[in-house]
Amino acid sequence: MSDKLVIIPTYNEKENIEAIIRAALSVDEAFDVLIVDDSSPDGTSDIVKRLIPEFNGRLHLEIRTTKDGLGRAYVHGFKWALANNFEYIFEMDADFSHNPKDLPRLYQALVEGADLAIGSRYSNGVNVVNWPMNRVLMSYFASKYVRVITNLPVHDATAGFVGYRAKVLQTLDLDKIQFKGYGFQIEMKYKTWIKKFKLKEVPIIFTDRTLGESKISSDIIGEAVFGVISLRLRNMFGKL
Ligand SMILES: Nc1nc2c(ncn2[C@@H]2O[C@H](COP(=O)(O)OP(=O)(O)OP(=O)(O)O)[C@@H](O)[C@H]2O)c(=O)[nH]1
Ligand SMILES: [Mg+2]
């Protein structure tokens, strides 16, 4: 087994799942892949099950019974990764917004001393392809907003293409991770930073999905907007 694991949460990704698995497992530095599927009604997990024998123990599947948000799916994946002794643990979407070919650069940042490597759209201008302008603006200003409220020294606070050293995930209290959607990405970075771990942004280009449907919703956005303020306040009062 490799010491590097890519966790991919899925909900109704039948159009993308086989191709993203093949792409992630064909990156040079052998990464294992864990799919965390929330019992997708479109049968995503059946496709994964069919592929498992082909990859000699490098492809793993965890199925959760209900759709419970990407944050919860990642926490499940993190616990699985720690229980299985992975040292380098990555988050990646199934929809090819994140290019699996960038995984080695995230990994390299961890090897060179970062505890959290962030695939960043905004460390070097705005590197987003095919997103409608309102999504780009919302995401860009969300990062600015997070920075103003929390001081978190990161240009892309909602980035979902990241890598952790295992010790970060061992240190954070995973059962206390509260947010389910975009807020989850902010919460993880903020908690990692206040524990004095080293964060490093690695520039990436983000491309909008071409297949399947987006799962973003207005309550996820609301959770993030108010959640950031509550994170800051709870930290001020020593409650994190
Ligand atoms: N297990 C699980 N995975 C989820 C859930 N919600 C989203 N995902 C997955 O998380 C990843 C990101 O979700 P997307 O729908 O692409 O969200 P997004 O990237 O904000 O939206 P788009 O940019 O419009 O695609 C994808 O791999 C989804 O299948 C969930 O509730 N449970
Ligand atoms: Mg997406």
Side-chain angles (χ1 to χ4, degrees):
M1 204 141 99
S2 159
D3 58 353
K4 304 181 272 303
L5 179 73
V6 184
I7 304 173
I8 306 178
T10 54
Y11 192 76
N12 286 349
E13 297 287 0
K14 73 171 184 323
E15 297 91 344
N16 292 306
I17 190 69
E18 178 162 356
I20 195 75
I21 287 172
R22 290 192 185 285
L25 287 171
S26 63
V27 171
D28 279 346
E29 290 93 335
F31 292 83
D32 275 27
V33 168
L34 170 67
I35 305 296
V36 182
D37 185 67
D38 282 4
S39 296
S40 299
D42 75 349
T44 299
S45 67
D46 296 330
I47 302 173
V48 181
K49 283 180 194 152
R50 172 170 61 74
L51 293 171
I52 283 175
E54 194 182 317
F55 290 101
N56 300 319
R58 292 179 57 209
L59 174 59
H60 314 274
L61 172 64
E62 286 281 295
I63 300 179
R64 292 160 15 103
T65 48
T66 48
K67 173 162 166 44
D68 195 20
L70 140 153
R72 293 287 148 79
Y74 271 127
V75 167
H76 184 106
F78 293 155
K79 289 181 178 174
W80 188 94
L82 294 176
N84 287 279
N85 297 316
F86 285 93
E87 177 55 43
Y88 304 92
I89 299 152
F90 301 83
E91 297 181 10
M92 191 171 82
D93 287 358
D95 60 2
F96 283 94
S97 288
H98 306 143
N99 186 345
K101 294 200 174 102
D102 290 330
L103 284 166
R105 287 196 301 127
L106 288 177
Y107 171 59
Q108 201 51 40
L110 297 178
V111 169
E112 286 168 6
D115 300 308
L116 167 55
I118 302 169
S120 179
R121 295 163 288 190
Y122 310 126
S123 58
N124 214 334
V126 176
N127 292 293
V128 176
V129 178
N130 278 347
W131 246 11
M133 188 49 92
N134 59 347
R135 286 282 313 260
V136 179
L137 288 174
M138 192 176 78
S139 162
Y140 183 76
F141 285 106
S143 279
K144 295 259 180 231
Y145 168 79
V146 169
R147 204 166 175 156
V148 168
I149 304 267
T150 65
N151 291 322
L152 177 71
V154 166
H155 294 95
D156 193 347
T158 61
F161 193 20
V162 302
Y164 301 91
R165 292 297 297 251
K167 63 181 173 187
V168 175
L169 302 177
Q170 279 154 353
T171 303
L172 302 187
D173 187 346
L174 295 175
D175 289 322
K176 291 223 175 104
I177 298 296
Q178 180 184 337
F179 297 84
K180 295 186 167 192
Y182 281 109
F184 164 79
Q185 301 296 0
I186 302 167
E187 181 177 11
M188 288 296 295
K189 291 178 189 67
Y190 187 59
K191 288 185 167 172
T192 300
W193 177 63
I194 60 177
K195 294 274 186 207
K196 307 262 190 289
F197 285 112
K198 195 169 163 214
L199 281 59
K200 170 139 202 242
E201 287 187 89
V202 175
I204 57 135
I205 294 173
F206 177 100
T207 310
D208 193 17
R209 65 161 75 236
T210 50
L211 297 173
E213 273 171 28
S214 172
K215 283 106 206 162
I216 190 173
S217 65
S218 54
D219 50 317
I220 284 178
I221 297 168
E223 175 189 73
V225 170
F226 296 109
V228 168
I229 298 173
S230 105
L231 272 179
R232 177 67 217 263
L233 291 176
R234 280 189 290 144
N235 188 37
M236 272 165 71
F237 296 111
K239 293 261 166 61
L240 279 190

